[in-house]
Amino acid sequence: MRAAPRLSAASERPDPAAARADAGSRPVTALRGVGAALAQRLERLGVTSVADLLFLLPLRYEDRTRVTPIGALTPGTRAAVEGEVQLTEVTYRRRRQLLTRLADGSGFLTLRFFYFSGSQQQNLARGTRLRAFGEVRRGPLGLEIVHPEYRRLGEAAAPLEETLTPIYPLTEGVPQGRLRALIAQALDEVARGGLVDLIPPHAGLPAGLPALHEALVYLHRPPRGAELAELAAGRHPAQRRLAFEELLAHTLALRVRKRALKSDPAARLDDAALARRLIGSLPFSLTRAQARALAEVEADLATGVPMVRLLQGDVGCGKTVVAAAAAARAAGAGKQAALMAPTELLAEQHGRNFTEWFRPLGLPVALLCGGQPARTRRSALEGLASGEIRIVVGTHALFQEGIEFADLALVIVDEQHRFGVQQRLKLAEKAHGARLLPHQLIMTATPIPRTLAMTAYADLDISVIDELPPGRTPVQTVVLPEERRAQVVQRIVAACRAGRQVYWVCPLIDESDELRAQAAEETAAALAAALPGVRVGLVHGRMPPKAKDQAMLAFKAGKIQLLVATTVIEVGVDVPNATLMVIENAERMGLAQLHQLRGRVGRGLEASSCVLLYRSPLSETARARLKAIRATADGFEIARRDLELRGPGELLGTRQTGLAQLRVADLMRDADLLPRVQAAAERLEADAVRSAALTSRWIGSDERYGRVG
Ligand code: ADP
Ligand code: MG
């Protein structure tokens, strides 16, 4: 595919700054004393280039710049002390050990060694002056340090460290001292101008952040008296300078991808007639937010430049019709549209909706998913290859080998958080060889806060549906301990008597589908026994697609009143008559998942409720989660809380975004930098050489965004 952007422009247009920046991108083996073996070990720390070494920041610092009088030591701190050995002896208290008593006139301190040599014992003879460093703790003989680092002091005053001592993350076979020496070597290169500052003044670096050199030197060798608390919190300007650069590099990489994608031609879908007819035939009118999102989508489709748009909107806001209208544009132009859903259940549901909407317009809709009869599948494939079928819905079975489209102009991906950048790349690849690239519309119900979305999805344009269709009553959420289960069962009876339907979501007992299925079966049997008048159905991931489909259909048709399910119903399923949802072991589920599940009720005009059953004792986080989900129904607010509780890696899905693996930056902590990062990316985007240098410095040959280097 063409998405691999041409970033190696440096060789064509020599730029002295970018060329010099290459000193940092030299392999670590360029440093003195680094052979293949050490290089391999360093790679485990993510270090392959000299610059990587510089961006390997200390986990913490120790202050060996001053000596603390022994009398002023506090347990639990790490400190340097100086004193004279009063006594050194081997004792056998439980196990053999060496004890050295050190005094400085203000008090005395025990140094305790469990591993020691004979010469070490001799070196610690009475009268020796020592400087020792380590963690002070309370021991049986008063304050002590176990296995301190120490050195003997001669007659002359030994100089103290001038800078704080960095403690780096370690990997087997690379001791702290070795790493320090290597980083010192790398820092020398910086001092010689080997690592160019790639952020020019016009990039708009926030005020008060230092230049690159200054930041690196500060972080590897903080001066005496540096703000340790600020450093520990990751809020020091030197750290923020690097975080800014890292976030900028990622943003640029994604934008470059987007530009590359958009440089290919796509079909111009400028006939609105069919889409208008589809919208006109719906039993409702679009909300303002839907209409706005659709207008944005249609504007993209009409241009002949590939659309890469994320359609973001809370569960139940009505993304599907927007997608259908887009598909109508493709079909109206005589071309094809494909909608891909993350599960068969959802694919089938979308298939039914699309069929309902498109059949009256004279357009057949094909369904392609895993467990289909061969004949159905074959005829769908033929229809797609001949172009007779213009609209197809399916799972990722849609993009397997051997599936041919006559003229695919639009790909719609539902519930994007299940798909990642990698899959997006694949989709575009599918069309490689075709003259035109298909437009892409990606729908997600994970309402990521805007600044975060703009960074994590900088390769996409974003439309937001921030309004629910009218007439919905907010779902009332109740949190109850497991002991009140009997009471909850009574609520089911009441709901069914009133003609409503109920979901019961089974606990997340295990990661295995097998055990989940078993638990769901047992729960369904128990509930059926407890509720003789109620028709109970079951859906879980282990059922054959057909049985699953039948159960869902029966539930949708009202033949099943109580549907017991695993979390397979999490995404997208739409049954407006269901007004009660019970979630077992809610304390084990994440906020986003609870919100998604709860979104299955409250889809009709009736008031709905969601009962969250939990098992005690609740952890701190679980308590916070349940409190948050009860307090708010706003997906964006929930996303914000989720971000606080879990961090962005979890929210975005670790596999889904390169941003889940940042080295220096932290999306949560550094969120306030994001607007400026965006602005800087806009200013620097056109500067291909600089952008390439930044990306290769921070992302290197990593393929998480496709090939960028
Ligand atoms: P989601 O955004 O979660 O995918 P859906 O597209 O499944 O939401 O829509 C949820 C429900 O709302 C569906 O039953 C759909 O038909 C209905 N719906 C969508 N748009 C509107 C609207 N403008 N007015 C009323 N109901 C709507
Ligand atoms: Mg949906």
Side-chain angles (χ1 to χ4, degrees), residues 127-141:
T128 312
R129 286 190 53 74
L130 292 183
R131 180 180 298 153
F133 184 87
E135 185 176 335
V136 181
R137 61 174 214 188
R138 234 184 281 280
L141 306 170

Side-chain angles (χ1 to χ4, degrees), residues 284-287 290 314-320 469 472 574 603:
F284 48 76
S285 51
L286 296 186
T287 62
Q290 281 171 314
D314 211 346
V315 269
C317 72
K319 294 182 287 294
T320 320
R472 304 253 172 99
D574 188 37
R603 306 195 135 224

Side-chain angles (χ1 to χ4, degrees), residues 68-311:
T68 308
I70 291 176
L73 290 174
T74 36
T77 57
R78 301 177 71 87
V81 295
E82 267 180 33
E84 195 177 293
V85 175
Q86 292 188 318
L87 174 76
T88 286
E89 59 176 6
V90 176
T91 70
Y92 293 87
R93 231 177 261 125
R94 276 200 225 135
R95 58 192 271 212
R96 185 165 174 272
Q97 50 192 280
L98 182 73
L99 298 181
T100 292
R101 197 157 111 134
L102 197 67
D104 72 349
S106 73
F108 75 88
L109 174 76
T110 304
L111 308 180
R112 189 185 296 272
F113 301 87
F114 294 107
Y115 306 99
F116 57 94
S117 62
S119 64
Q120 203 174 358
Q121 186 180 348
Q122 263 146 40
N123 273 334
L124 292 171
R126 181 186 163 89
T128 312
R129 286 190 53 74
L130 292 183
R131 180 180 298 153
F133 184 87
E135 185 176 335
V136 181
R137 61 174 214 188
R138 234 184 281 280
L141 306 170
L143 294 184
E144 63 175 31
I145 299 179
V146 177
H147 282 286
E149 287 176 50
Y150 69 92
R151 59 193 272 207
R152 287 158 27 113
L153 299 175
E155 291 297 304
L160 279 159
E161 301 277 341
E162 304 221 326
T163 60
L164 300 186
T165 307
I167 309 293
Y168 294 100
L170 285 182
T171 186
E172 213 181 304
V174 191
Q176 203 57 248
R178 192 72 195 272
L179 206 50
R180 272 184 209 140
L182 287 176
I183 290 172
Q185 242 192 94
L187 277 174
D188 286 346
E189 299 220 356
V190 177
R192 285 198 300 270
L195 196 70
V196 168
D197 197 325
L198 293 168
I199 300 190
H202 68 274
L205 191 70
L209 301 192
L212 180 65
H213 292 187
E214 208 183 309
L216 285 170
V217 170
Y218 190 96
L219 292 173
H220 289 291
R221 297 171 178 159
R224 192 177 290 167
E227 268 304 327
L228 276 179
E230 202 176 27
L231 284 168
R235 299 289 299 174
H236 191 278
Q239 290 161 316
R240 283 164 64 75
R241 166 62 179 73
L242 296 185
F244 183 89
E245 182 170 326
E246 183 175 31
L247 292 167
L248 178 61
H250 282 261
T251 307
L252 283 168
L254 285 166
R255 282 179 175 240
V256 165
R257 265 191 37 70
K258 174 165 150 187
R259 267 229 305 233
L261 199 71
K262 289 198 173 234
S263 68
D264 280 320
R268 194 184 294 273
L269 308 175
D270 48 9
D271 184 352
L274 197 63
R276 293 279 85 81
R277 275 172 62 201
L278 179 107
I279 301 289
S281 73
L282 295 171
F284 48 76
S285 51
L286 296 186
T287 62
R288 275 220 312 277
Q290 281 171 314
R292 191 182 55 226
L294 180 57
E296 286 163 2
V297 168
E298 296 196 305
D300 285 357
L301 294 177
T303 58
V305 172
M307 167 171 79
V308 270
R309 187 168 285 280
L310 182 72
L311 178 57

Side-chain angles (χ1 to χ4, degrees), residues 645-700:
L645 290 170
R646 296 199 296 169
E650 290 282 331
L651 185 59
L652 296 168
T654 21
R655 291 178 311 281
Q656 271 77 353
T657 162
L659 286 171
Q661 307 135 35
L662 294 166
R663 305 187 195 187
V664 177
D666 175 315
L667 279 178
M668 259 302 270
R669 186 190 64 209
D670 302 320
D672 63 313
L673 289 176
L674 292 176
R676 278 187 175 262
V677 168
Q678 294 301 331
E682 243 145 64
R683 286 183 203 129
L684 299 187
E685 198 177 359
D687 186 344
V689 176
R690 191 184 300 275
S691 167
L694 272 167
T695 341
S696 95
R697 175 182 287 177
W698 287 93
I699 304 165

